[in-house]
Amino acid sequence: MYSGVYVDFTGPVPWESRVWAAWLACGPDAALTGVTALRRFGLDGDWVDDEIHVAVPHSRRVDPRPGITVSRYRDLPARVQEVRQPPCVRLEVALLVVASAAPTIVRQAAILLDSCRQRRTTPERLLAELESLPRLPRRRVLRQVLLDAADGVQSFLEQVYLRRVERVHGIPGGQRQVRAESGGRGDASARLVYRDVEYAQYGVVVELDGQAGHADALSRWRDMSRDNAAAVEDKVTLRFGYQLVSQPCTTAAQVSAVLRRRGWSGATRPCSPTCPLP
């Protein structure tokens, strides 16, 4: 496959074999990085990329090889999880590198927040790793995303809701990722669920549903059980999708109207001259 690297079978070369070949071709001090590392860690996501991404120490120069993208890292040994074979950079390093290269802030936020939602890492660990990468592109944007995540935000929609619905319109801050059971008390089939945003004092729940999380029947049924459990507790559930990204003011108007009906006496504020909120 490369100079000094061979496969001893016929037919197509599977991805795992390509990974090993790329690492062997780049030397024993190399490590998998970027999208390749995320795939090796088993992180859920759209990681389609034909290239194998390999990191080498900054002092090294590696000749270009087809199918391999080589990055040079300063202090690479300190960023490697050597117990994996082939060696990989730590999950947090790979996530930050991939997010920083994403073309939009939507994609950047989704990569980081989805990894926290999957409970593969935490905002605090990502923030600590970010401090060790002072030359990383877009690190200020990534830091703000992670600071929001540390407040409980675990998806891009939750981040938009926190910043463009709650904060700018004066809506009281809700609790994030509230643990609850999917059935009433005594229900033997009840399961642990998490409510995206809950205003416990007013009995209002906000669920933020991205398309990726609702492409199958099991996801829809899980949401129904979660909403029904809230109804059993006399809680109102409002459900929003990606429309809140382009219509945050409409979302704020609906949430504030329900909160007022449930006892909230605070004042909202318009975010712009065209905002419908009083």
Side-chain angles (χ1 to χ4, degrees):
M1 292 190 67
Y2 304 105
S3 177
V5 181
Y6 303 86
V7 294
D8 61 354
F9 54 85
T10 59
V13 180
W15 184 79
E16 288 283 348
S17 298
R18 292 180 53 222
V19 167
W20 273 99
W23 177 72
L24 290 168
C26 291
D29 57 355
L32 305 179
T33 188
V35 172
T36 305
L38 295 184
R39 290 182 64 178
R40 288 285 293 179
F41 277 109
L43 198 74
D44 291 340
D46 182 14
W47 310 125
V48 178
D49 191 333
D50 289 336
E51 293 283 301
I52 305 299
H53 295 259
V54 177
V56 299
H58 193 269
S59 59
R60 282 192 58 198
R61 297 282 181 179
V62 177
D63 293 335
R65 292 175 172 86
I68 303 177
T69 297
V70 177
S71 303
R72 297 162 60 224
Y73 280 38
R74 299 181 187 276
D75 199 20
L76 178 62
R79 308 190 192 285
V80 172
Q81 190 177 46
E82 295 182 350
V83 294
R84 288 184 172 269
Q85 294 296 323
C88 288
V89 299
R90 288 190 297 275
L91 174 62
E92 289 75 20
V93 175
L95 282 166
L96 290 167
V97 167
V98 173
S100 70
T104 66
I105 188 174
V106 173
R107 180 62 176 157
Q108 294 162 19
I111 290 169
L112 298 179
L113 298 176
D114 283 348
S115 68
C116 297
R117 176 182 54 80
Q118 294 177 39
R119 292 177 169 50
R120 301 300 303 273
T121 186
T122 66
E124 291 77 13
R125 284 159 58 182
L126 286 163
L127 281 166
E129 197 70 68
L130 185 62
E131 292 302 312
S132 71
L133 299 169
R135 295 178 176 85
L136 190 71
R138 303 184 180 92
R139 66 188 310 275
R140 291 181 62 183
V141 173
L142 300 182
R143 184 174 185 274
Q144 185 57 57
V145 169
L146 292 171
L147 288 173
D148 285 341
D151 286 337
V153 178
Q154 294 194 348
S155 75
F156 173 65
L157 287 181
E158 290 181 44
Q159 184 194 42
V160 174
Y161 184 85
L162 172 68
R163 300 174 68 177
R164 298 181 60 191
V165 176
E166 274 190 356
R167 287 180 178 173
V168 300
H169 293 104
I171 293 174
Q175 295 174 284
R176 264 72 189 174
Q177 296 300 308
V178 178
R179 291 163 61 99
E181 290 189 351
S182 62
R185 293 183 179 179
D187 185 349
S189 64
R191 297 179 61 186
L192 182 65
V193 296
Y194 290 87
R195 293 168 179 162
D196 291 334
V197 185
E198 181 172 343
Y199 304 92
Q201 182 179 352
Y202 308 106
V204 177
V205 175
V206 172
E207 297 292 358
L208 305 170
D209 300 338
Q211 294 176 354
H214 300 269
D216 57 85
L218 288 177
S219 295
R220 293 195 297 273
W221 294 336
R222 183 171 58 246
D223 291 341
M224 291 176 190
S225 296
R226 184 172 55 185
D227 292 352
N228 293 343
V232 169
E233 299 174 14
D234 194 29
K235 294 179 179 179
V236 175
T237 298
L238 299 176
R239 191 174 289 279
F240 300 99
Y242 281 102
Q243 74 270 25
L244 73 85
V245 177
S246 58
Q247 302 173 358
C249 299
T250 301
T251 302
Q254 293 174 345
V255 173
S256 61
V258 174
L259 287 174
R260 285 200 177 91
R261 290 178 184 174
R262 307 283 289 194
W264 181 53
S265 59
T268 56
R269 56 178 178 268
C271 65
S272 69
T274 59
C275 182
L277 268 70

